[in-house]
Amino acid sequence: MRYAMAVDTKKCVGCSDCVVACQTENKVPVGYCRDWIVEVTDGTYPQLEMEIRSERCNHCENAPCVRCCPTGASHFAEGGIVLVTPNQCIGCGACIASCPYDARFPHPDGHVDKCTFCIHRIKNGLKPACAAVCPTKCIYFGDLDDPNSEVSVILKKRKSKTLIPEAGTVPHLYFLI
Amino acid sequence: MTNRRDFIRITAYGAGAFAMSGGFLQAVKAFSSPEKSGALKVDLTRTPTYCEICFWKCAGWVYKSEDGKIWKIIGNDEDQHCNGRFCPRGTGGIGMYADEDRLKTPLIRTGERGKQVFREAGWDEALEYIASRMKTIKANHGAESLALFTHGSGSSYFTPLLKAFGSENIAEPSYAQCRGPRDDAFLWTFGEEVYSPEITDIRDTKCLVLIGSHIGENMHNGQVQEMSDAIDKGATIITVDPRFSTAAGKSKYWLPIKPSTDIALLLSWIHEIIYNEYYDKKYVERYCLGFEQLREHVKTFTPEWAYGITTLAPDLIRKTAREMADASPAVIVHPGRHVTWYGDDTQRTRAIAILNALLGSWGRRGGFYRPVRITLPSHPMPEFPVPGKTWTDLFPGQYGAATGVVSNAMIDASIPGNNPGYPIKGWIVNGTNLINTIPNQANTLNAIQNLDLLVAIDTMPAEITGWADVVLPECTYLERYDTLRTGPHRKPAIALRMPATEPLYDSKPGYWIARELSKKLGLENYFPYEKQEEILDWQLKQIGSSLDEMKKTGVKTFEREADDLYYAPDEEVAFATDSGKIELYSAAFEGLGFDPLPKYTPHEEPPDGFYRLIYGRAPMHTFGRTANNAYLTDLMDENTVWINPKIAKIWDLANDQYIWLQNQDGVTSEFPIKVRITERIRWDSVYMVHGFGHAQKQMKRCYGRGASDTQLITRALVDPLMGGTGMRGNFVTIVTEKAEKEVAS
């Protein structure tokens, strides 16, 4: 089982609903967030193009954060989900420095925090909060090993990319372009 | 960043990184519930609500944690408005409840007006104070001299209170400051407005034309969802906007029009569609009146003619007209929502209505669907007294085509120097921050200084509460019942809002406030029930449901009585216009002394060194009312002014630099605003999101953050047809250093 997410940049309007839904679902303190919006505009008026992305932890197959964690707090859970065990985390910040996607932050409770793909929800057959709330339905989630999963189907159908592939992290967060 | 590439990480961790008129809507009489009661389980951890953060009123569930605190708000899967998905504002609705800056107790002014010197009062004393002032106004000037300005659910209680008192001067700024021109234009053309949620059939459209309408930035949930569905299905989007909006980024065609010239574009599209015979001939022949006059009228309005006005290439105008024709009738030329721009807004939206009629999209799949709603029985009530005077007697002969009450007329009538037919002496203001809603703040403040009574009822302190004589703290939508939501949609439906928790502080529901005030006025027979839930239960039982059932489901959707979401082929339709036809040529307008067909009139252009001030929405905020919400402020805590790189170079501006803006009347923004240099805006305009630059210090998170567009909109271009205040005729220049900080009033 390999969980993955695909975000359709052609549909995302950058409303940040994914951010608030994650904050409330996971009780992320106000002022912090596990996912965020990036908006990139290219071109010169009036020949313009814009890409909007909902970004978060890439749940890399070759995750530098897991490799560099001195305590084992950062680890792979089922389906390749990268997690942090708060009470094993000493807050050293090595993982924050190693992440090419800037996806981790120091939680005010003293541990490092990040996206969990809402593992507590997917265990109950629910989608991650961001995917469940998105008004444009631009976030697809599922198991890459299941050819019929929503994410496998859409990745087969559409052109996609990952971020900073040259880092060799093998991300599980795809962007449909 | 360089001029050629904007890069914005919007959120980063750590840093805070109505009533329907006519016979065109069927009241549903026979009901068939999709689910029989008894089979449903009650989930004790969640209570139903519908959202009050904006007017879309999505239905959802409020979940609580084990500790009994509100945890999250999630959309109701059965709801047509949201399909189980709330927008960021609705998801962040908890922030409204949890805001520590909320109004907490009734306040009575003790100092000079506007100086915000109040004393705390009990409810009884505050209501007694209001009632006594109301009675004095009635005795001295007549009951009509009391006006109500309202927005949102509170309208359901304060409206009957005012009517019982003897005044029908009840205005929603959402009419004359927002959607009024569009509603009137469609009413006068099709005999029917476009409602809220709009009846645009976006999910099945093949071509969506947005004119200054920035769906995705205005987070009108159902429309955003359907636009996404339409993108999935390969629909063509055409966006007309001086700014490269989010929707423009999703569009096949972006028409970066010169602001204020939209009517010229619309007329040339109409010309193209008529003279190339793209229009739906059968539809026009069967349903429309005045085609020949229209044809003659647009004869010379070629794309070449429009090019000189709009700066849009003739080829682009031709291609986009063709795209619409190819998609017809599954095409929507969107009527927009906030359309009070240049003072000829009714005529502009008339041109949009006419274009839709030519394309045969009204009443057709992928165009505009036929809405239905439930009419709930009202509990028998005493008749309201008939007022001797209404708002039309304030300035007789003005705004002849208006179908709503013009809020700015009531404000103007509060100023004795304007010689109104009779004076407005008291305002009750509920759920609308008039200071930042109505253009020309000086005029509004002048009006306030002439009042005998100003009551502000709201959940949050705002500029208007600072000017009030009495402030009443209403509890938030998460702490109260409200009237059942019965708005029109594809299927008739009702939604329940019930309290998820007890009201915080000494705040009270609007129903309770209106009822208690009615007692002080001897009008309690208009509020026969002590508790609102008693009315709701009574109403629900009349239609075969109950409060208990609705508590379990939140939403109840019914089937349409007939398969009539669209007109049947060759259906005979009686439109609710004078002629019974779609009036391309408006004899009614002609009779009122207005142009029977839309004309393009040039508007004033910015003087040298000035730029047209354009404003809009951000998806995570609703007007100014969410500006202090912790969750939403975390996403966006100030607005920026969008400036084209060419202009930035002239003024030697850098990204993130704070500047002030000064308008054509010498008014300078009270607070500085951050520069955003971007290719996404024309060089003749600047853009900012509305709802920032709050001067109310009691809103601690948003005070002084960003600039207020309303402060800079001192000039209103008033629509002579219906009184709408056009707000895009203001020009600003850039001030990089402000000599002296002005003292906030």
Side-chain angles (χ1 to χ4, degrees):
Chain A
M1 195 159 54
R2 289 180 300 146
Y3 286 120
M5 187 177 272
V7 177
D8 190 345
T9 64
K10 299 290 180 200
K11 292 199 291 185
C12 176
V13 295
C15 72
S16 306
D17 201 4
C18 46
V19 182
V20 196
C22 171
Q23 280 178 323
T24 56
E25 173 68 31
N26 296 298
K27 298 183 180 169
V28 178
V30 168
Y32 301 82
C33 57
R34 293 178 175 183
D35 52 353
W36 60 91
I37 298 292
V38 170
E39 187 185 294
V40 185
T41 309
D42 271 312
T44 305
Y45 174 94
Q47 300 299 326
L48 297 169
E49 276 186 14
M50 182 164 59
E51 182 177 287
I52 307 178
R53 300 191 296 263
S54 166
E55 293 189 4
R56 60 189 55 60
C57 170
N58 283 242
H59 296 277
C60 306
E61 220 163 288
N62 180 19
C65 53
V66 173
R67 213 170 24 206
C68 76
C69 178
T71 67
S74 278
H75 65 283
F76 291 109
E78 62 175 272
I81 295 177
V82 176
L83 289 186
V84 179
T85 311
N87 61 10
Q88 286 178 15
C89 174
I90 55 170
C92 71
C95 57
I96 296 179
S98 77
C99 175
Y101 307 103
D102 210 6
R104 297 173 157 243
F105 61 93
H107 192 282
D109 288 351
H111 58 86
V112 166
D113 200 29
K114 61 176 279 297
C115 164
T116 63
F117 269 168
C118 282
I119 192 165
H120 64 290
R121 287 174 58 91
I122 55 179
K123 275 180 180 167
N124 289 317
L126 299 167
K127 288 179 184 175
C130 55
V133 81
C134 176
T136 67
K137 287 166 266 176
C138 79
I139 302 176
Y140 299 83
F141 183 80
D143 178 8
L144 286 178
D145 288 340
D146 173 4
N148 297 319
S149 74
E150 187 181 271
V151 73
S152 298
V153 169
I154 198 78
L155 284 171
K156 215 171 292 165
K157 196 168 135 195
R158 293 273 301 274
K159 208 174 152 188
S160 67
K161 65 173 182 186
T162 55
L163 297 179
I164 326 182
E166 62 274 22
T169 53
V170 195
H172 280 186
L173 177 62
Y174 296 85
F175 294 94
L176 306 173
I177 49 175
Chain B
M1 297 306 289
T2 66
N3 293 341
R4 295 177 61 85
R5 190 174 166 90
D6 300 335
F7 183 92
I8 293 165
R9 184 164 170 165
I10 292 180
T11 50
Y13 61 72
F18 14 130
M20 307 281 163
S21 55
F24 39 78
L25 277 180
Q26 303 162 343
V28 177
K29 294 181 191 88
F31 296 97
S32 54
S33 170
E35 294 181 86
K36 295 286 170 211
S37 58
L40 297 160
K41 279 185 198 159
V42 191
D43 186 343
L44 291 172
T45 61
R46 65 181 200 181
T47 46
T49 189
Y50 61 88
C51 189
E52 181 84 358
I53 308 284
C54 93
F55 38 73
W56 210 260
K57 299 181 181 169
C58 298
W61 299 103
V62 183
Y63 285 81
K64 286 189 191 173
S65 300
E66 282 164 8
D67 59 7
K69 286 186 180 159
I70 295 178
W71 168 29
K72 60 180 180 180
I73 310 174
I74 302 292
N76 186 321
D77 289 337
E78 302 304 315
D79 183 35
Q80 301 173 95
H81 294 228
C82 76
N83 306 300
R85 293 164 185 264
F86 264 25
C87 85
R89 298 162 303 156
T91 306
I94 314 163
M96 189 186 206
Y97 160 77
D99 198 319
E100 64 282 6
D101 291 341
R102 274 174 60 171
L103 293 169
K104 298 181 174 76
T105 180
L107 301 170
I108 295 178
R109 179 170 66 86
T110 56
E112 203 181 312
R113 253 198 191 125
K115 295 288 183 207
Q116 300 222 52
V117 185
F118 294 100
R119 67 180 169 82
E120 293 185 355
W123 275 98
D124 191 62
E125 185 194 3
L127 294 171
E128 189 63 52
Y129 182 102
I130 296 166
S132 115
R133 294 279 184 105
M134 283 171 71
K135 286 175 192 162
T136 309
I137 289 172
K138 192 174 194 169
N140 293 343
H141 305 281
E144 303 89 347
S145 288
L146 187 74
L148 170 67
F149 298 89
T150 181
H151 189 267
S153 295
S155 168
S156 306
Y157 323 118
F158 299 108
T159 294
L161 181 73
L162 224 75
K163 286 185 175 173
F165 182 69
S167 174
E168 283 184 5
N169 282 328
I170 300 156
E172 297 186 330
S174 53
Y175 176 71
Q177 278 66 53
C178 196
R179 57 178 171 72
R182 155 199 106 168
D183 288 348
D184 288 346
F186 276 71
L187 264 171
W188 290 100
T189 307
F190 293 102
E192 192 172 351
E193 51 158 309
V194 293
Y195 308 106
S196 175
E198 284 82 4
I199 55 176
T200 45
D201 201 22
I202 300 176
R203 69 178 186 194
D204 282 329
T205 199
K206 290 181 186 151
C207 179
L208 174 63
V209 185
L210 302 173
I211 302 170
S213 179
H214 50 1
I215 296 180
E217 284 162 288
N218 70 35
M219 204 61 207
H220 303 165
N221 197 342
Q223 284 191 45
V224 177
Q225 295 192 15
E226 292 196 18
M227 185 170 85
S228 188
D229 295 341
I231 291 170
D232 259 345
K233 291 185 198 165
T236 298
I237 304 177
I238 299 168
T239 298
V240 180
D241 204 310
R243 187 177 64 93
F244 189 72
S245 60
T246 299
K250 315 280 180 206
S251 297
K252 184 171 175 188
Y253 299 95
W254 173 41
L255 280 58
I257 194 167
K258 178 175 166 180
S260 82
T261 66
D262 310 82
I263 296 182
L265 171 66
L266 286 159
L267 291 172
S268 73
W269 270 341
I270 294 172
H271 170 98
E272 276 298 288
I273 282 163
I274 290 181
Y275 285 91
N276 289 303
E277 302 200 5
Y278 291 160
Y279 61 97
D280 188 330
K281 293 195 188 70
K282 267 174 78 179
Y283 187 96
V284 168
E285 200 175 307
R286 181 180 292 271
Y287 297 135
C288 299
L289 197 70
F291 179 74
E292 281 311 315
Q293 287 113 311
L294 176 67
R295 184 187 166 90
E296 194 54 33
H297 177 67
V298 298
K299 198 170 182 179
T300 58
F301 301 143
T302 59
E304 280 72 18
W305 167 81
Y307 176 40
I309 296 166
T310 61
T311 73
L312 299 172
D315 183 47
L316 193 56
I317 297 176
R318 290 208 164 86
K319 263 190 198 159
T320 44
R322 184 67 207 233
E323 285 272 2
M324 290 181 226
D326 287 348
S328 162
V331 51
I332 299 163
V333 186
H334 199 286
R337 181 139 186 152
H338 176 81
V339 293
T340 45
W341 300 348
Y342 304 111
D344 52 7
D345 307 304
T346 310
Q347 293 289 10
R348 184 185 66 254
T349 36
R350 263 272 294 160
I352 291 174
I354 290 168
L355 193 52
N356 278 303
L358 293 174
L359 293 162
S361 64
W362 185 263
R364 309 284 278 278
R365 181 184 294 274
F368 295 79
Y369 65 78
R370 315 292 311 132
V372 281
R373 78 185 302 174
I374 283 182
T375 307
L376 287 173
S378 298
H379 192 268
M381 268 244 245
E383 292 275 319
F384 291 121
V386 179
K389 288 166 277 192
T390 68
W391 78 271
T392 56
D393 301 308
L394 294 170
F395 298 102
Q398 276 194 336
Y399 316 138
T403 58
V405 181
V406 179
S407 42
N408 32 305
M410 300 205 310
I411 290 170
D412 291 343
S414 307
I415 300 170
N418 289 334
N419 296 315
Y422 64 98
I424 298 290
K425 295 305 291 182
W427 296 359
I428 296 176
V429 184
N430 170 234
T432 171
N433 185 13
L434 286 188
I435 312 284
N436 277 2
T437 302
I438 312 287
N440 192 351
Q441 291 182 336
N443 191 63
T444 308
L445 297 181
N446 185 7
I448 289 173
Q449 294 293 17
N450 283 288
L451 294 176
D452 291 345
L453 175 66
L454 171 52
V455 181
I457 306 165
D458 220 316
T459 65
M460 287 293 296
E463 282 77 356
I464 188 70
T465 63
W467 287 91
D469 301 321
V470 186
V471 180
L472 300 179
E474 193 179 9
C475 60
T476 69
Y477 70 106
L478 298 174
E479 303 159 291
R480 66 185 195 226
Y481 282 100
D482 264 312
T483 44
L484 294 156
R485 191 200 75 190
T486 58
H489 217 286
R490 291 184 175 100
K491 289 180 179 180
I494 42 177
L496 172 70
R497 174 186 292 159
M498 66 175 287
T501 180
E502 286 294 304
L504 287 178
Y505 317 113
D506 199 10
S507 63
K508 299 283 186 189
Y511 179 82
W512 183 92
I513 299 172
R515 184 167 188 270
E516 292 302 307
L517 188 52
S518 78
K519 288 186 198 164
K520 304 273 183 205
L521 294 161
L523 301 170
E524 60 270 28
N525 51 341
Y526 290 92
F527 292 86
Y529 290 97
E530 189 192 338
K531 292 193 169 153
Q532 189 172 16
E533 50 265 47
E534 296 171 47
I535 310 176
L536 303 182
D537 195 41
W538 180 85
Q539 283 183 305
L540 287 163
K541 283 184 174 145
Q542 307 304 305
I543 60 162
S545 180
S546 68
L547 191 56
D548 280 341
E549 186 196 6
M550 289 300 293
K551 282 180 179 178
K552 291 171 200 160
T553 63
V555 171
K556 196 171 161 85
T557 308
F558 302 88
E559 291 307 317
R560 294 175 78 104
E561 282 185 325
D563 181 16
D564 57 357
L565 188 57
Y566 311 108
Y567 297 144
D570 302 326
E571 181 178 335
E572 284 303 321
V573 181
F575 294 89
T577 54
D578 291 346
S579 60
K581 298 269 188 189
I582 299 170
E583 299 194 348
L584 303 177
Y585 181 95
S586 177
F589 275 14
E590 196 172 32
L592 291 165
F594 304 121
D595 291 333
L597 289 163
K599 281 183 187 154
Y600 166 71
T601 334
H603 290 284
E604 193 183 332
E605 292 184 25
D608 208 22
F610 280 76
Y611 311 94
R612 188 180 296 274
L613 175 64
I614 310 177
Y615 53 86
R617 307 259 177 256
M620 59 290 280
H621 283 289
T622 306
F623 324 137
R625 70 175 2 190
T626 52
N628 208 62
N629 181 314
Y631 284 97
L632 306 178
T633 304
D634 198 28
L635 299 173
M636 179 181 182
D637 63 353
E638 63 185 313
N639 56 357
T640 59
V641 56
W642 295 31
I643 298 178
N644 183 281
K646 290 189 177 72
I647 303 306
K649 201 172 174 187
I650 292 171
W651 290 89
D652 195 22
L653 299 174
N655 259 323
D656 295 344
Q657 173 186 355
Y658 280 96
I659 61 167
W660 288 262
L661 298 172
Q662 188 176 64
N663 79 356
Q664 73 283 336
D665 296 328
V667 172
T668 308
S669 58
E670 186 173 348
F671 304 106
I673 182 168
K674 219 186 234 185
V675 169
R676 174 181 178 181
I677 300 170
T678 175
E679 296 281 356
R680 290 175 59 188
I681 181 90
R682 282 173 64 102
W683 55 86
D684 51 9
S685 307
V686 295
Y687 171 82
M688 68 168 78
V689 170
H690 169 78
F692 288 88
H694 278 284
Q696 170 57 276
K697 285 185 180 164
Q698 290 170 18
M699 289 196 285
K700 295 187 196 75
R701 266 183 293 274
C702 69
Y703 167 75
R705 304 303 305 263
S708 160
D709 54 325
T710 315
Q711 199 190 7
L712 297 164
I713 301 173
T714 51
R715 183 197 285 168
L717 305 173
V718 178
D719 192 327
L721 280 85
M722 49 62 72
T725 51
M727 295 188 258
R728 295 199 176 158
N730 290 264
F731 311 115
V732 293
T733 191
I734 288 155
V735 178
T736 49
E737 278 178 45
K738 205 176 179 187
E740 206 176 312
K741 180 135 176 55
E742 288 159 28
V743 180
S745 54

